[in-house]
Amino acid sequence: MLESFAIGAQAILNPLCISLIIIGIVIGIIFGAIPGLSATMALALFLPITYSLDPIAGVVLLVSLYIGGISGGLISAILTRIPGTPSSVATCFDGYPLTAKGEGPKALGVGIVFSFIGTIMSTVVLIFMAPWLARIAIKFGAYEYFSVALFSLTMMAGLSGKSLVKGLISGFLGCVFATVGMDSIASVQRYTFGNVQMASGFNILPVLIGLFAISEILITAEKAKHAQQIETIKVDLKSIRGFGFSLKEFFEQKWNALISGLIGIGIGILPGIGGGVANVLAYGVIKNRSKYPEKFGTGIIDGVVASETSNNAAIGGALVPLLSLGIPGDTVTAMLLGGLTMQGISPGPLMFKEHVDMVYAIFLTMIIGSFAMLFIEFYGLRVFAAMLKIPKQFLLPGIFIFCVIGAFGVNNRMFDVWTVLLFGAIGYAFNKVEIPAPPFILGFLIGPLMEINLRRGLMFSQGSFLPFLTEPISALFLIAALLVIVYTVYGEYKKQKSAIVSK
Amino acid sequence: MKKLTILLIVLILLSIVLAGCTNSAQKTPEAEKAEKAPTAETSDELKWPDGKTIQIVVPFKAGGDTDFHARTYAKYMEKILGAPIVIVNVDGGNGSVGSIQVRDAKPDGYTALFFHDSMLMNKVVGVTDFAHEAFDVCATGIMDNSYIIAVNSKSKYKTLDDLIKDAKENPGKIKYASSVGGYTYYVGRKLEELTGADFNIVDAGGGADRNAALLAQKIDTNVNPYGVMKPYIDSGDFRVLAVFSEKRSSLFPDVPTAKELGYDIIAHRAYFLAFPKGTDQRIIEKVANAMEEVSKKPEYAEDIKKAYCVEPAYMNTADTKAYLDSALKEFEDAKDMILGK
């Protein structure tokens, strides 16, 4: 192992690779931080450039962009309640309320440090257990995926806020909108109205930008019409010390971080689910096991810790199937795979034997990259927080422009721009009738996964539902899902009963 | 220090914005305005490409096989044509969204489409209402005829005969992975028709997902290009039973063809370049010649061998058209089979 590290170190400890790591992290953070641009886009943009670099340098750049891009999403999530990437949806829930209370820098500090911890945790797991974990991951077939998806959907309850019913409405609408386009098994066109653009369905990024960014801009604009002046959040930059939180607060979060990290790694390993679900799932779990779940959403650091640890932990997780099986878990790792293939390296069972230099270069990039991210964001913290001083009437139109550019950049077509505007209107309507948007995103991501695996499973079993119940891993998740549902319904029942009594 | 950091960030931001601007400025006129002005040059001399950027649309995401082949071609063609080539990824509708974008683009030679047989399949299954006849087809750069059928090494099937025999004796029990309407689905149905075997054709995702499923023995057999399964063949996890090509591949000569085993099935996929209808024939000829030149370069052969285990195979404009015509006819004749009826 040490020897392998030496080979990896030899490959990347040169001025070119080190500067590529720093450039990658900085650009990644910027792409992550700007709503509309995402880690996926950063990789897509830089992928062609890596073809002209040597294989190791190219992959070092891509991995750095990945780490920076996932972490950068926390900045806009915390400061403006607009998630920069799908991975930081849950960061908004407590991050923004903290900012509203004037504790923005603290939220940022927590986010940054736990992003770092998440990345490092997952890197350690990746280094020591990748081939072994990959062998477990392939045990997950259609039945197991279906059950995991169903279990993930039960987390909608935790995201619903005040009204469970409204949360469910939102979640199921998410599932419905995800069915638009060609179905992924028989290419049947659903809700496309004969339009070819619709045939590819709605992309997650425009949907996310619309629901969160555009609606937020509309709401702020509306408020501004009625108020004389839009309130600017006050932030005292001079009093920021270190990362803005105490050592005691840090240690209070150790279990939260550990559990969130493990959830992130686990979700990351399962191809097709990814960081977009990990953060939401971790938030739900941490909230459920908390002694004070009612405080979630009001601005406590626990929520930020859960989201940011898990989404960065998903990076190392996603690299497990990528490197040891050649399976990309999400759009970002698909780009990475493309980058590797282009260089004539096909990840798979022999990767750890034939391309030791590449594998360990990636590991070291993750470690060095995490530290680079920590330092860059530490110094950047004050810059980010200072963004709050920009009056919203200037900041939000800027964000709007990036949202549109970003949407176009997803696929180089105007359809995605219209999608952003459509979902902006939906998000605005949701806000008016107090329907929470996060369950929508969960439904949108998980719904298709559940459908395709249900149908695949039924193809495998030739129409029998029994294997879903008899396969052990599948059964385990179904039972867990059932328990969460019972627990949630019971909690809701108790709440309503006590409400009646108090009347 | 602090100021320096801010300055740096601002600079990078600015450069990104600028890069974005130039990019979109290039794209919008071609991509968005679908006006079909006849721009075929009337003067005798061809002023193309004139150093201007040529845009090749890949109708899939970056990082896949189509993207790889387009980019590798572009890398060598740039030098021959003396003009920069950019690859634009327009994903969606199994390649139909990007195809339509090029079909409706100005036929000035600066926008082209890089696609493969799926264009025909899209028409047959009804995703689109057009195929290659809606374009001015240029030439084929690569013919992937490395489709193999493989099983897990731990399985009891040593030969293709073993597998077919078992599928006959246990109808509907042997899981053959493919997606309905996909090319390998068609190959599976053809195999059934030819041999009287009865597979349970199941959907198990794309190439990489199917590798994992075969590794975990959740499926029994899988057909895909050799390059997709190569890592597992090299590691000894998979056993290759046959290749569906006319003759054995020089890259893996030990694998028998299905034909020599008595199953006359040929599978292939042509990656071709096409321009919008009405493009100057001289442009098409020039590009076709450039593609031929690339296909003869040993560095190029090495690139595609390393990545996807395929050999260069150039087909000129007429041959490509004839190939696509006959492939389309073949698919249309087998429409019910492809649709899983």
Side-chain angles (χ1 to χ4, degrees), chain A residues 11-23:
Chain A
I12 71 158
L13 291 182
N14 55 54
L16 174 69
C17 285
I18 298 293
S19 26
L20 282 176
I21 292 178
I22 294 168
I23 293 169

Side-chain angles (χ1 to χ4, degrees), chain A residues 266-341:
Chain A
I267 290 293
I269 289 172
L270 296 178
I273 308 189
V277 175
N279 71 98
V280 172
L281 203 61
Y283 186 89
V285 170
I286 296 300
K287 184 180 171 185
N288 277 346
R289 67 174 289 277
S290 169
K291 289 194 191 81
Y292 39 84
E294 70 284 353
K295 282 193 191 159
F296 279 75
T298 60
I300 52 171
I301 61 172
D302 306 47
V304 179
V305 169
S307 176
E308 283 307 316
T309 315
S310 64
N311 66 18
N312 273 69
I315 298 177
L319 288 176
V320 169
L322 179 76
L323 295 178
S324 41
L325 296 168
I327 305 176
D330 54 18
T331 47
V332 186
T333 38
M335 301 277 177
L336 261 177
L337 179 65
L340 286 165
T341 314

Side-chain angles (χ1 to χ4, degrees), chain A residues 51 325 342 411-412 456 460, chain B residues 68 71 88 91 203 205 232:
Chain A
Y51 298 155
L325 296 168
M342 204 70 182
N411 234 332
N412 297 309
R456 277 184 190 161
F460 273 78
Chain B
F68 167 83
R71 284 184 199 276
V88 182
D91 184 39
D203 188 296
Y232 294 90

Side-chain angles (χ1 to χ4, degrees), chain B residues 8-240:
Chain B
L8 196 75
I9 292 175
V10 168
L11 270 177
I12 292 169
L13 259 176
L14 207 68
S15 61
I16 290 172
V17 174
L18 284 176
C21 289
T22 46
N23 249 340
S24 50
Q26 279 169 3
K27 271 166 212 157
T28 35
E30 284 132 337
E32 294 314 318
K33 296 206 180 77
E35 47 182 356
K36 281 198 171 180
T39 49
E41 307 209 0
T42 39
S43 62
D44 286 315
E45 215 179 321
L46 179 65
K47 283 203 199 95
W48 184 95
D50 206 18
K52 276 194 255 173
T53 306
I54 304 161
Q55 176 178 297
I56 295 182
V57 172
V58 169
F60 295 101
K61 284 196 183 72
D65 54 340
T66 316
D67 184 60
F68 167 83
H69 287 309
R71 284 184 199 276
T72 318
Y73 247 99
K75 186 169 88 182
Y76 293 102
M77 278 218 299
E78 272 185 336
K79 286 171 206 139
I80 299 170
L81 292 173
I85 299 177
V86 282
I87 303 292
V88 182
N89 299 93
V90 184
D91 184 39
N94 192 26
S96 49
V97 176
S99 304
I100 288 173
Q101 190 163 315
V102 176
R103 186 194 66 181
D104 297 342
K106 245 188 185 171
D108 55 6
Y110 293 104
T111 310
L113 174 74
F114 193 83
F115 203 1
H116 49 65
D117 291 32
S118 285
M119 180 192 264
L120 316 175
M121 209 55 114
N122 282 344
K123 186 184 179 184
V124 174
V125 301
V127 176
T128 55
D129 54 2
F130 64 88
H132 62 287
E133 76 284 349
F135 296 85
D136 273 341
V137 174
C138 179
T140 300
I142 288 171
M143 179 71 120
D144 187 348
N145 45 18
S146 70
Y147 281 87
I148 51 165
I149 182 161
V151 293
N152 192 305
S153 319
K154 287 185 215 127
S155 87
K156 57 182 176 184
Y157 312 118
K158 306 277 184 235
T159 63
L160 188 55
D161 282 328
D162 290 350
L163 180 72
I164 300 288
K165 205 173 137 233
D166 202 29
K168 273 190 207 163
E169 283 164 9
N170 299 297
K173 289 276 178 282
I174 312 302
K175 295 190 187 81
Y176 173 105
S178 178
S179 11
V180 181
Y183 186 62
T184 53
Y185 184 83
Y186 171 61
V187 174
R189 292 298 300 264
K190 249 171 54 169
L191 201 59
E192 284 187 338
E193 200 187 52
L194 192 79
T195 61
D198 182 8
F199 293 115
N200 177 16
I201 303 189
V202 295
D203 188 296
D209 299 322
R210 279 192 240 161
N211 280 346
L214 191 60
L215 190 63
Q217 293 187 286
K218 290 193 182 290
I219 55 174
D220 297 298
T221 183
N222 185 23
V223 173
N224 248 335
Y226 189 91
V228 176
M229 293 198 260
K230 187 172 182 287
Y232 294 90
I233 298 166
D234 292 348
S235 68
D237 286 308
F238 293 175
R239 181 185 303 132
V240 189

